[in-house]
Amino acid sequence: MAKFIKSSGCTLSVAGTTIVNVLGGSISGWSRETTEVTSLSDTVKKYMIVIPDGGEISVDLNWDGSESSHSSLTALMGSGNEVEIVVTFTDSGNETFTCNGYLTGLDITIGSHSDQVSATATFKVNGEITVS
């Protein structure tokens, strides 16, 4: 029987601080590109794989600027410091994706009269993602 991982209970930690009010997110763009290495004597194209790109980690939040984990994001946006990012999938035996990265975007959205204020924080992965 196929097993699936529930997103309920997953956590995001940035620089040792657990970010609260997370609605969802993604680890995207984690890829290995190729470069063409075809020579003039080849009769078919040839490629080699190049170093990986860790991509980006994005999270959607119910924004509360007075919440310390959210104010730490605004401070991080101002500082530009590299931080450790840990995504934990609690329904899979606490599998973690750990990497270093930079906060490259903090988009805060003010909805209509009855909507909550939301935000999307985007981190560029710098280096390798370790899965454990």
Side-chain angles (χ1 to χ4, degrees):
M1 175 180 262
K3 181 181 187 268
F4 64 93
I5 299 172
K6 296 177 188 173
S7 49
S8 176
C10 292
T11 61
L12 171 76
S13 172
V14 176
T17 299
T18 299
I19 306 301
V20 300
N21 297 332
V22 174
L23 301 172
S26 66
I27 300 171
S28 62
W30 192 13
S31 63
R32 293 193 83 141
E33 295 184 18
T34 59
T35 187
E36 186 176 346
V37 293
T38 308
S39 71
L40 292 175
S41 62
D42 291 324
T43 58
V44 295
K45 286 189 175 187
K46 294 182 181 176
Y47 298 88
M48 66 178 244
I49 201 155
V50 296
I51 60 177
D53 181 342
E56 294 183 335
I57 297 173
S58 294
V59 292
D60 298 319
L61 315 160
N62 279 329
W63 182 256
D64 179 357
S66 66
E67 163 55 51
S68 63
S69 69
H70 293 190
S71 60
S72 72
L73 292 175
T74 56
L76 184 58
M77 193 68 198
S79 74
N81 291 336
E82 181 178 17
V83 292
E84 181 183 64
I85 304 159
V86 180
V87 178
T88 303
F89 299 96
T90 55
D91 193 41
S92 64
N94 288 332
E95 177 182 45
T96 60
F97 283 53
T98 304
C99 61
N100 287 339
Y102 297 98
L103 181 60
T104 57
L106 185 59
D107 300 315
I108 300 172
T109 303
I110 301 166
S112 65
H113 181 67
S114 60
D115 287 341
Q116 79 277 6
V117 176
S118 62
T120 300
T122 304
F123 297 87
K124 177 62 182 160
V125 175
N126 187 33
E128 211 170 319
I129 297 176
T130 303
V131 180
S132 59

